[in-house]
Amino acid sequence: MEHALSPATLTELRRPRPYPAVSVLTPTHRREPENTQDPVRLRNVVAEAKKRLEHDPAVTRERRHDVVEQLDQALSEVDLTHAEDGLAIFAAPGEHQVWSLARPVPERVVLADTFLTRNLVAAQDAERPFWVLSVSSDRVTLWNGGGDRVSEAHTGGFPLTRDRDNFDAERQERIGDLPSAFRDEDTRRFLRDADTALARLLRARPRPAYLTGETAALSLFDEIGTVTRDATHIPHGGLAHGTPEAVWQAVGPLIAAEDRRNVDTVARRLEAARGHKAFAAGVDEVRQNAQQGRIQLLAVEENYRTTVRADGGGGHLVPAESGDLDVREDIVDEIVERCLDTGAEVRFVPDGTLGDARGIAGVLRY
């Protein structure tokens, strides 16, 4: 199953396919007892996709057989023992992909000429990956963070460790032989190496960084660090030898506060756009501006979706029922993808954030 969504991968997923490009979405669960329902739910939603293919007159028998085979192959590749919060299966003639998502998705089956990538984009937006570097005088541990969790990262030379034969810094501090382990020259050299290793990693994989450790360690990085000096410092010792849960407890409140600030920033930008008459709201108005490449910032409530069709007159969109003639069930996804194509910033915000904007709004370029 795929997890990491790069810009190049997203571009490839969004290219048009021969009809039908089938997108199957289903929520999954990480823990018991909720995850016991996942296998049955997954089989049922894939069966619904096959049923839709069977009854779609636009799908030839040969193409239907091809896509059903791709769905079966995708289903065989799903590993629910490592499930996250959502699953996306994409199948089209000659290809299939399975994506595990670290955020919930609605149960949904869509047949179109493109895959439904909006949930992948939303998951990527919510992840906002970050690094945590936890330091002690004998070990420096790197943690890979994103969403609401961290895990130890074995990359870039981390974890860094060093032997301390006959050296007990805590005992020596207690008896007064060593004011601080972090004044020891070998320790300073060791942590300087950690700073250099993190700098290398950030050049290759840039993201925000957090630094945890004793106050003395953080002070030392203020003195000798390059990239670590600019990281967000969290005075919390013991995490270099800690667990992911302990690290998350230390950094989680800061991540949550940053998320709230980001949502507030989006709300302020939208409000300022109203005052400058550079604001669009509602699926019809936003879609028209997206088509013209006028959207600078697109904000979408996380679970907003709507089914529409063209009214046959001026090309405006009107509400429709699934199954209606010329219905567009994935219009929100079309808007998201069009905005990405034209270089807009796309942000997903909690439900209810946009108020009278009816689930979707944009800041216009001009």
Side-chain angles (χ1 to χ4, degrees), residues 7 19 23 33 38 55 60 73 84 97 110 122-123 130 154 162 179-180 193 233 240 259 262 277 281 318 343 349 359:
Y19 186 86
S23 300
D38 291 348
H55 292 90
T60 65
Q73 290 182 34
E84 296 180 278
Q97 293 191 38
V110 174
F130 57 90
H154 296 270
R162 70 176 181 129
S180 169
D193 290 343
H233 288 196
D259 287 344
N262 288 335
K277 304 201 182 305
V318 296
V349 297

Side-chain angles (χ1 to χ4, degrees), residues 69-345:
E69 189 175 83
Q70 297 296 331
L71 285 170
D72 287 338
Q73 290 182 34
L75 191 59
S76 71
E77 295 170 9
V78 173
D79 181 7
L80 290 176
T81 61
H82 297 96
E84 296 180 278
D85 303 308
L87 190 71
I89 292 177
F90 300 137
E95 63 172 322
H96 67 272
Q97 293 191 38
V98 179
W99 285 83
S100 179
L101 306 178
R103 64 180 291 113
V105 299
E107 187 169 286
R108 202 170 175 200
V109 175
V110 174
L111 275 61
D113 57 4
T114 58
F115 291 139
L116 204 61
T117 57
R118 171 261 189 93
N119 294 96
L120 271 66
V121 176
Q124 183 187 47
D125 180 61
E127 280 290 286
R128 284 191 284 282
F130 57 90
W131 298 116
V132 181
L133 197 70
S134 297
V135 303
S136 68
S137 57
D138 67 332
R139 180 182 174 91
V140 179
T141 304
L142 180 71
W143 307 91
N144 178 30
D148 60 356
R149 65 194 63 84
V150 298
S151 59
E152 186 172 351
H154 296 270
T155 186
F158 293 103
L160 297 180
T161 60
R162 70 176 181 129
D163 294 329
R164 298 190 304 172
D165 296 335
N166 302 315
F167 176 65
D168 184 344
E170 291 184 1
R171 176 181 177 279
Q172 293 181 46
E173 286 185 49
R174 285 197 301 271
I175 65 176
D177 289 348
L178 182 68
S180 169
F182 296 101
R183 296 182 187 177
D184 174 71
E185 186 56 37
D186 288 341
T187 302
R188 293 168 64 91
R189 190 178 304 111
F190 174 62
L191 297 187
R192 192 178 292 112
D193 290 343
D195 179 84
T196 301
L198 182 63
R200 254 191 327 265
L201 180 67
L202 288 175
R203 284 194 294 272
R205 300 168 65 183
R207 59 175 71 172
Y210 297 82
L211 181 68
T212 76
E214 298 175 22
T215 302
L218 302 183
S219 297
L220 179 57
F221 275 115
D222 278 336
E223 177 186 340
I224 68 172
T226 55
V227 293
T228 46
R229 181 192 304 155
D230 298 324
T232 300
H233 288 196
I234 303 173
H236 192 307
L239 297 181
H241 296 271
T243 63
E245 292 74 18
V247 175
W248 176 250
Q249 287 179 7
V251 302
L254 279 76
I255 302 300
E258 181 65 23
D259 287 344
R260 289 191 295 271
R261 285 194 292 271
N262 288 335
V263 172
D264 290 344
T265 297
V266 171
R268 287 195 299 271
R269 290 175 64 182
L270 291 170
E271 190 60 33
R274 285 180 186 266
H276 293 94
K277 304 201 182 305
F279 177 79
V283 66
D284 186 45
E285 185 177 352
V286 170
R287 193 270 310 213
Q288 290 185 52
N289 282 283
Q291 290 293 343
Q292 298 167 15
R294 296 189 62 201
I295 302 290
Q296 181 183 68
L297 165 69
L298 178 71
V300 185
E301 292 185 355
E302 291 174 344
N303 293 302
Y304 175 67
R305 62 183 189 274
T306 186
T307 302
V308 298
R309 60 176 174 80
D311 66 359
H316 292 285
L317 302 176
V318 296
E321 297 294 329
S322 181
D324 285 356
L325 186 65
D326 296 328
V327 71
R328 297 167 74 171
E329 295 190 39
D330 56 348
I331 187 62
V332 176
D333 305 273
E334 292 179 26
I335 293 171
V336 168
E337 294 182 358
R338 176 59 182 164
C339 287
L340 290 171
D341 285 339
T342 55
E345 178 184 356

